[in-house]
């Protein structure tokens, strides 16, 4: 009798777990209800602009997003385009919540994951412009808490370019953190005793922990928390009114977190991002990310000389392992048709995102989705939306 009771409890817990994760399969909106098509907002004023845009741009952009939603590429997605002195377009389709069947729109708030990295890199360059740090000094100059390593000293420049030797996650499971750290300096405890993967400056290894170190340096040098510094010096200056660190509280318009497993979207556990706040702990909207791109283009955050330093990938090491050339916080790509593009993807539980700035054409393209596992589609959708403006 006792064994039967225990077995029933186990079965009940399994059923509850399946319902919690899948919400359940029967609530997959793509099999039960009409999929919300794209709703968009477009502000066009191209007088005096070099751009000549077709009158059906909004319709073509909406149709492009709808094709991705109809093919089950995303559960919910928002996307946007900015063309300097001409146009801002934002659109959203699909669902922010399977259980509540809430539709996604341009105001959907979500994780941006590693798109945080170029923001952190811009913050470092602001401090560099003010003479508050040296890019080539050993990081212990600013962070004595981080122990010296036998394989050599690490510089801020190497952290920015992912050539420091600081380790990244060992697996997708290793990326899941449920521990909260009150500051990024305290978050160093999670990895500061790990040995370097190689001698600094000799190889490329993408490392979110390396950008945690950069965030801790920002805290030490500015004497502000990372969130306070970013709010005052990045987000406020770029008029990004819906951008913040993700904290443990409720947010209006915040999407739920999902994982894409083949054709099914399952609920993701809510991970704690405080160990990588400066590498991937920011939440935002598609409109705010367009404003960030605009601020970069118009030197609202750093001057053109600093931006040139950030996008100089002539001495980078990334191609040795097949990655895009990497500058300071940006992947740098020379497109045969569209010219120089600086870009960054983002991927973690609850999001696949992509931001691209077309420097030669003064265009920004953004895609944010609410599911891990849709990264390739976020990249492709971003490129296709940009092509509509650049044709």
């Amino acid at each position: 009798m006792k064994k039967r009771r225990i077995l029933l409890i186990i079965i009940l817990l399994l059923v509850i777990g399946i319902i919690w994760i899948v919400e359940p399969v029967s609530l997959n909106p793509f099999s039960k209800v009409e999929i919300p098509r794209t709703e968009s907002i477009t502000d066009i004023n191209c007088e005096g602009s070099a751009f000549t845009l077709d009158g059906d741009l909004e319709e073509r952009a909406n149709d492009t997003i709808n094709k991705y939603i109809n093919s089950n590429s995303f559960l919910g997605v928002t996307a946007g385009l900015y063309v300097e002195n001409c146009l801002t377009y934002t659109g959203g389709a699909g669902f922010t919540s399977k259980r509540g069947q809430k539709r996604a729109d341009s105001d959907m708030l979500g994780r941006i994951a590693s798109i945080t990295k170029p923001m952190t890199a811009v913050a470092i360059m602001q401090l560099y412009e003010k003479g508050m740090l040296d890019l080539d000094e050993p990081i212990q100059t600013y962070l004595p808490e981080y122990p010296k390593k036998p394989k050599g000293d690490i510089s801020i420049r190497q952290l920015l370019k992912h050539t420091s030797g600081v380790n990244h996650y060992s697996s997708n499971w290793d990326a899941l953190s449920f521990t909260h750290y009150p500051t990024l300096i305290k978050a160093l405890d999670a990895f500061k005793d790990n040995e370097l993967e190689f001698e600094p400056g000799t190889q490329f290894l993408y490392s979110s922990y390396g950008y945690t170190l950069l965030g801790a340096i920002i805290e030490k040098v500015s004497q502000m928390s990372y969130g306070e510094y970013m709010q005052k010096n990045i987000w406020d200056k770029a008029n990004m009114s819906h951008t913040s660190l993700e904290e443990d509280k409720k947010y209006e318009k915040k999407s739920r977190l999902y994982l894409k497993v083949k054709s099914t979207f399952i609920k993701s556990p809510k991970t704690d991002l405080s160990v990588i706040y400066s590498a991937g702990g920011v939440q935002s909207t598609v409109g705010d990310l367009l404003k960030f791109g605009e601020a970069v283009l118009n030197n609202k955050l750093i001057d053109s000389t600093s931006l040139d330093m950030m996008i100089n990938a002539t001495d980078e090491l990334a191609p040795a392992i097949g990655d895009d050339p990497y500058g300071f916080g940006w992947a740098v790509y020379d497109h045969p048709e569209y010219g120089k593009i600086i870009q960054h993807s983002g991927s973690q539980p609850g999001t696949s995102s992509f931001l691209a700035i077309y420097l030669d054409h003064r265009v920004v393209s953004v895609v944010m989705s609410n599911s891990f596992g849709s990264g390739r589609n976020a990249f492709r959708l971003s490129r296709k939306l940009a092509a509509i403006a650049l044709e």
Side-chain angles (χ1 to χ4, degrees):
M1 188 68 179
K2 186 176 181 181
K3 289 183 179 179
R4 183 179 298 175
R5 188 180 298 115
I6 292 173
L7 181 60
L8 287 173
I9 291 172
I10 292 173
I11 292 172
L12 179 61
L13 290 173
L14 286 172
V15 170
I16 291 172
I18 291 171
I19 292 174
W20 182 85
I21 293 172
V22 186
E23 293 192 329
V25 173
S26 62
L27 282 180
N28 189 329
F30 295 136
S31 63
K32 292 297 177 183
V33 299
E34 183 180 355
I35 306 168
R37 293 174 62 82
T38 304
E39 288 185 354
S40 59
I41 301 171
T42 305
D43 181 13
I44 301 178
N45 183 5
C46 298
E47 292 183 15
S49 171
F51 268 86
T52 302
L53 294 175
D54 293 335
D56 65 348
L57 180 143
E58 182 173 14
E59 181 180 349
R60 292 173 64 195
N62 288 353
D63 287 345
T64 301
I65 295 172
N66 288 334
K67 287 177 182 177
Y68 276 82
I69 282 290
N70 292 338
S71 65
N72 209 29
S73 298
F74 306 107
L75 176 65
V77 65
T78 58
L81 277 173
Y82 167 79
V83 179
E84 187 174 74
N85 298 322
C86 188
L87 167 142
T88 300
Y89 162 91
T90 56
F95 293 92
T96 66
S97 168
K98 282 172 60 175
R99 182 175 294 278
Q101 294 183 357
K102 296 179 181 179
R103 69 159 299 128
D105 59 28
S106 300
D107 295 327
M108 183 180 81
L109 180 67
R111 293 178 165 186
I112 67 170
S114 288
I115 294 176
T116 304
K117 289 183 174 72
M119 294 183 185
T120 295
V122 168
I124 287 287
M125 295 308 292
Q126 288 179 336
L127 297 171
Y128 168 77
E129 287 181 352
K130 294 175 181 177
M132 298 176 70
L133 52 76
D134 186 319
L135 299 181
D136 296 304
E137 282 288 314
I139 61 172
Q140 285 80 12
T141 304
Y142 312 101
L143 277 181
E145 296 89 343
Y146 189 77
K148 289 267 190 178
K149 301 296 180 179
K151 291 184 179 178
D153 289 335
I154 297 169
S155 69
I156 292 174
R157 187 185 302 272
Q158 290 162 347
L159 291 173
L160 288 166
K161 295 174 73 67
H162 297 295
T163 61
S164 67
V166 173
N167 66 292
H168 190 50
Y169 313 127
S170 60
S171 67
N172 286 337
W173 290 109
D174 187 36
L176 303 179
S177 175
F178 300 95
T179 302
H180 185 75
Y181 297 91
T183 67
L184 284 168
I185 293 169
K186 189 63 178 173
L188 301 181
D189 292 344
F191 62 90
K192 70 180 184 181
D193 293 327
N194 296 346
E195 290 304 315
L196 300 183
E197 298 289 332
F198 48 80
E199 179 185 344
T202 62
Q203 297 181 48
F204 177 93
L205 177 64
Y206 185 88
S207 172
S208 287
Y209 290 147
Y211 269 70
T212 297
L213 276 163
L214 289 172
I217 290 170
I218 290 170
E219 290 186 338
K220 269 301 187 74
V221 172
S222 70
Q223 293 298 294
M224 302 168 70
S225 72
Y226 174 77
E228 289 170 342
Y229 182 91
M230 299 300 285
Q231 188 69 59
K232 180 179 179 180
N233 296 283
I234 304 291
W235 305 327
D236 285 350
K237 285 187 175 181
N239 296 315
M240 299 166 67
S241 57
H242 302 289
T243 303
S244 66
L245 296 182
E246 182 185 275
E247 298 177 326
D248 188 18
K249 61 182 182 181
K250 291 186 178 180
Y251 297 92
E252 187 178 0
K253 291 282 190 175
K254 180 69 177 283
S255 175
R256 302 188 81 172
L257 309 179
Y258 293 93
L259 310 174
K260 189 176 189 297
V261 181
K262 295 186 177 179
S263 61
T264 299
F265 296 91
I266 65 173
K267 187 179 176 184
S268 169
K270 188 176 184 302
T271 52
D272 189 297
L273 302 178
S274 60
V275 70
I276 53 163
Y277 266 160
S278 50
V282 171
Q283 59 186 8
S284 190
T285 63
V286 67
D288 270 15
L289 290 183
L290 290 178
K291 291 177 180 177
F292 175 66
E294 178 188 359
V296 171
L297 282 173
N298 294 321
N299 304 120
K300 293 180 180 179
L301 304 175
I302 55 174
D303 63 34
S304 59
T305 302
S306 294
L307 180 60
D308 287 343
M309 290 176 64
M310 292 187 74
I311 66 175
N312 180 2
T314 56
D315 62 344
E316 52 77 41
L317 299 169
I321 60 169
D323 289 334
D324 289 331
Y326 203 94
F328 293 177
W330 294 105
V332 183
Y333 180 57
D334 288 306
H335 192 280
E337 184 178 356
Y338 301 139
K340 190 171 291 293
I341 306 171
I342 56 174
Q343 59 193 27
H344 216 292
S345 62
S347 182
Q348 66 188 195
T351 188
S352 297
S353 53
F354 199 83
L355 164 67
I357 302 176
Y358 295 72
L359 293 175
D360 296 336
H361 294 277
R362 316 292 286 180
V363 168
V364 183
S365 176
V366 176
V367 172
M368 291 177 57
S369 76
N370 57 5
S371 59
F372 172 83
S374 299
R376 184 171 296 180
N377 289 318
F379 165 76
R380 289 172 176 169
L381 176 55
S382 172
R383 283 285 191 268
K384 288 188 176 182
L385 290 175
I388 294 173
L390 293 168
E391 287 178 354

